Amino acid sequence: ESIIQEYGGKKIELDYHTPFQLLIAVILSAQTTDKQVNKITPPFFQIVHEASDIVDMPIDTIMGHLKYVNFFRNKSRYIKETGTILANQYNRILPDDLTLIQTFPWIGIKTAKVILAVLYDRPYVGVDTHIHRVMNRLWIMETKTPEQTDKEIEKIFDTETKKKLHHPLVLFGRYHCRARAPKCESCTLSQYCKFYKNTFKKIWIKNTLKIKASKK
């Protein structure tokens, strides 16, 4: 609840103006920071608004715009393929169907849930490494992979809670409960946190004892 209160008013950090641009941005964000995606997409989004804009665009042109993100060659091909499918078969409209949208190139469960949650306000949590880490550190579940965490979230949380969870959890994991150097000292949830109990608290006690010993 405190995570939702702190980060619940904030939305996805990817910049976009149309649904197809959101799809592109989410695809590009895989193993690339949102900040980097936002840095390279503005010129591309000036010429690509809808899926139909990319159908006849040479793949080399697409790659030229997207070359500063990881795996840009594959991502460029998948974006062109998906845009072509949307333009030719779906009248440029992203289908509001979790199973169907996963049949498009590069779109897995996480990407599909993020897109449908943002565009259609669906009760989906697109589990990435941030959400997976937070869920496990707070003892909410014990899972080994984001895919397992996704399944547990579907079981544990009701529809309205899932609608509120995605962005707050991502932002909390990205900026506060980081993989390295988490901000445990200022976290209001430290009393519930596995990482704090097993790691940070022990380090803090050890350092405190060293400081006291040095003053004697």
Side-chain angles (χ1 to χ4, degrees), residues 72 76 107 129 134 161 166 176:
F72 73 93
S76 296
I107 300 181
T129 55
V134 170
T161 302
H166 178 79
H176 201 103

Side-chain angles (χ1 to χ4, degrees), residues 154-189:
E154 290 295 335
K155 296 177 185 177
I156 294 173
F157 298 105
D158 60 33
T159 297
E160 288 307 310
T161 302
K162 284 187 289 187
K163 280 188 175 184
K164 302 174 183 177
L165 276 180
H166 178 79
H167 299 309
L169 286 177
V170 169
L171 296 176
F172 179 68
R174 183 176 294 168
Y175 298 114
H176 201 103
C177 190
R178 301 175 299 195
R180 296 182 180 181
K183 300 178 180 179
C184 297
E185 69 280 2
S186 61
C187 184
T188 59
L189 299 173

Side-chain angles (χ1 to χ4, degrees), residues 129-145:
T129 55
H130 298 301
I131 294 177
H132 173 61
R133 179 173 64 254
V134 170
M135 290 286 99
N136 279 271
R137 281 183 175 176
L138 294 179
W139 299 91
I140 296 173
M141 57 191 63
E142 292 187 56
T143 53
K144 294 183 179 180
T145 66

Side-chain angles (χ1 to χ4, degrees), residues 32-45:
T32 301
T33 65
D34 288 1
K35 182 178 180 180
Q36 179 62 17
V37 173
N38 290 338
K39 183 178 179 179
I40 65 102
T41 50
F44 190 55
F45 287 168

Side-chain angles (χ1 to χ4, degrees), residues 25-214:
V26 174
I27 290 175
L28 293 177
S29 69
Q31 298 187 23
T32 301
T33 65
D34 288 1
K35 182 178 180 180
Q36 179 62 17
V37 173
N38 290 338
K39 183 178 179 179
I40 65 102
T41 50
F44 190 55
F45 287 168
Q46 287 182 3
I47 57 176
V48 176
H49 301 275
E50 305 292 345
S52 54
D53 296 328
I54 212 165
V55 174
D56 296 322
M57 185 175 292
I59 190 65
D60 288 343
T61 300
I62 300 172
M63 289 184 182
H65 281 280
L66 307 181
K67 62 183 178 182
Y68 294 111
V69 298
N70 295 325
F71 309 108
F72 73 93
R73 291 182 178 84
N74 285 338
K75 290 177 180 178
S76 296
R77 293 189 183 95
Y78 294 138
I79 288 168
K80 181 175 176 61
E81 290 174 17
T82 298
T84 301
I85 292 171
L86 285 173
N88 293 339
Q89 300 179 31
Y90 295 93
N91 195 28
R92 305 181 302 176
I93 298 173
L94 280 164
D96 182 10
D97 185 303
L98 185 61
T99 301
L100 180 58
I101 199 172
Q102 288 182 75
T103 64
F104 294 177
W106 193 270
I107 300 181
I109 186 68
K110 185 202 81 171
T111 300
K113 285 188 171 182
V114 171
I115 291 169
L116 297 186
V118 173
L119 290 183
Y120 302 117
D121 194 32
R122 295 307 179 202
Y124 297 137
V125 179
V127 179
D128 62 1
T129 55
H130 298 301
I131 294 177
H132 173 61
R133 179 173 64 254
V134 170
M135 290 286 99
N136 279 271
R137 281 183 175 176
L138 294 179
W139 299 91
I140 296 173
M141 57 191 63
E142 292 187 56
T143 53
K144 294 183 179 180
T145 66
E147 290 75 20
Q148 292 175 352
T149 298
D150 177 90
K151 292 178 181 178
E152 289 301 310
I153 286 176
E154 290 295 335
K155 296 177 185 177
I156 294 173
F157 298 105
D158 60 33
T159 297
E160 288 307 310
T161 302
K162 284 187 289 187
K163 280 188 175 184
K164 302 174 183 177
L165 276 180
H166 178 79
H167 299 309
L169 286 177
V170 169
L171 296 176
F172 179 68
R174 183 176 294 168
Y175 298 114
H176 201 103
C177 190
R178 301 175 299 195
R180 296 182 180 181
K183 300 178 180 179
C184 297
E185 69 280 2
S186 61
C187 184
T188 59
L189 299 173
S190 59
Q191 60 182 315
Y192 309 108
C193 179
K194 183 188 303 185
F195 180 85
Y196 178 79
K197 180 179 180 180
N198 295 338
T199 306
F200 184 85
K201 192 173 182 179
K202 292 179 180 178
I203 294 173
W204 182 83
I205 292 173
K206 183 177 180 180
N207 290 339
T208 300
L209 292 174
K210 282 184 178 180
I211 292 172
K212 288 182 178 180
S214 67

